Amino acid sequence: MKVSIITVVLNNKETVQDAILSVGSQDYHDIEHIVIDGKSMDGTQSVIDKFRDGLAIVISERDNGIYDAMNIGLRLASGEIIGFLNSYDIYANKNVISDVVSILSKKKVDAVYGDLVFVSSKDHNRIVRYYQSKNFSPQSLSKGIMPAHPTLFLRKAVYENYGYFKTDYRIAADFEFAVRIFKDYNISYYYIPKIMVKMRTGGTSTKNLKSNWILNLEVLRACRENNLKTNLFKIYSKYPRKILGLIKRERIIKVDAACL
């Protein structure tokens, strides 16, 4: 099965190379890597050009934000399986895509996802927090909890059936999409109990308190638009789970950080 990986970037010359190399180092070779650049002005395009021969599609044009760029990538994707890798993220090991394909082939499910670690923006080997997707269920969406998006791989048919990302969201269109496809148990899914992605801190949803506030307001809106009952108190109740993520981080560092 062909796998399409979509990377969206804007003015991120410092880490986009790592993302591209991460996809290129996967041991599964039927990968279509699509890079959507929002007409970067900081030298990002020059970095991308170094790898152009190994990329399936490169688009460099102005867009209407990150989710519009993601939708452009979705329209271009020809793979049966689709995933997103942000320009500041990398895969945790070379087996991530082959593991995804293996599960989707054997289990015949619509979606697979796994765990993610947040790492320092300066050092991707220094773990900041652990995001475990193990306990996700459609009921947890009302608390603002979804599978870690960079670890979520979907069959292309899911997008064809449910549509793309809503571009009037600033931060949480991926969460709104998750509510749309998961809330009524409309699609089948499988959790891979492995760390699949390292995400650098400092991305759109992790910048500061203001971004966090906007995120939670959009989570509330996404639930209401999809007739999922919730409130801000319920959404903020997820934060003790983040503390557990810090505790889990310490365990990873002590036990198996060298395996990431």
Side-chain angles (χ1 to χ4, degrees):
M1 292 189 286
K2 181 190 287 188
V3 179
S4 295
I5 303 298
I6 300 168
T7 296
V8 170
V9 60
L10 176 63
N11 295 329
N12 196 9
K13 68 177 182 179
E14 301 299 329
T15 65
V16 68
Q17 175 171 304
D18 290 345
I20 293 171
L21 290 172
S22 176
V23 176
S25 68
Q26 292 295 295
D27 63 4
Y28 188 81
H29 299 296
D30 195 3
I31 298 176
E32 172 188 65
H33 194 186
I34 300 170
V35 177
I36 309 296
D37 171 50
K39 208 68 175 176
S40 295
M41 303 296 290
D42 70 335
T44 293
Q45 292 184 50
S46 296
V47 176
I48 295 170
D49 284 343
K50 292 193 302 182
F51 302 96
R52 191 174 283 266
D53 289 345
L55 300 171
I57 300 173
V58 175
I59 300 292
S60 184
E61 60 185 26
R62 296 193 183 281
D63 51 56
N64 293 316
I66 184 172
Y67 295 113
D68 181 45
M70 287 182 173
N71 288 343
I72 291 170
L74 284 171
R75 294 186 189 99
L76 294 170
S78 62
E80 183 180 341
I81 303 166
I82 299 177
F84 288 89
L85 187 73
N86 299 316
S87 63
Y88 42 86
D89 300 344
I90 59 174
Y91 288 122
N93 58 66
K94 67 180 181 179
N95 312 119
V96 171
I97 305 301
S98 56
D99 287 344
V100 167
V101 173
S102 176
I103 293 298
L104 284 168
S105 299
K106 294 175 182 177
K107 301 293 184 179
K108 306 299 181 183
V109 292
D110 301 308
V112 298
Y113 55 84
D115 297 341
L116 172 150
V117 286
F118 291 92
V119 297
S120 166
S121 60
K122 303 297 183 182
D123 178 5
H124 61 69
N125 289 313
R126 186 165 74 85
I127 299 168
V128 176
R129 183 165 65 88
Y130 182 90
Y131 189 117
Q132 188 174 43
S133 299
K134 177 182 179 180
N135 296 320
F136 166 76
S137 70
Q139 297 99 315
S140 66
L141 290 164
S142 65
K143 295 182 180 179
I145 297 172
M146 64 174 286
H149 188 244
T151 76
L152 177 62
F153 290 81
L154 299 170
R155 294 188 187 274
K156 186 177 184 180
V158 174
Y159 292 102
E160 292 171 342
N161 292 335
Y162 292 94
Y164 295 166
F165 299 106
K166 292 186 176 181
T167 56
D168 57 343
Y169 279 74
R170 292 173 59 186
I171 299 178
D174 51 346
F175 177 81
E176 189 282 329
F177 183 78
V179 175
R180 213 187 313 157
I181 65 174
F182 283 117
K183 78 178 183 76
D184 295 321
Y185 295 84
N186 288 327
I187 67 170
S188 55
Y189 53 90
Y190 185 88
Y191 164 67
I192 298 176
K194 294 182 179 180
I195 296 170
M196 297 171 67
V197 174
K198 295 180 179 182
M199 172 183 280
R200 287 180 174 89
T201 55
T204 303
S205 62
T206 62
K207 281 182 179 178
N208 49 46
L209 289 174
K210 182 180 178 181
S211 294
N212 187 266
W213 175 247
I214 293 170
L215 171 66
N216 287 318
L217 288 179
E218 290 193 343
V219 165
L220 179 64
R221 173 190 163 194
C223 291
R224 288 176 173 172
E225 286 182 350
N226 289 281
N227 300 312
L228 183 64
K229 291 183 179 181
T230 192
N231 53 60
L232 279 176
F233 178 80
K234 193 170 185 178
I235 290 169
Y236 273 97
S237 72
K238 69 186 175 185
Y239 285 93
R241 181 173 179 265
K242 292 192 174 186
I243 295 173
L244 292 176
L246 295 173
I247 297 171
K248 181 69 173 180
R249 173 202 65 174
E250 298 300 330
R251 194 179 307 160
I252 295 172
I253 292 172
K254 293 177 180 178
V255 178
D256 61 358
C259 298
L260 295 177

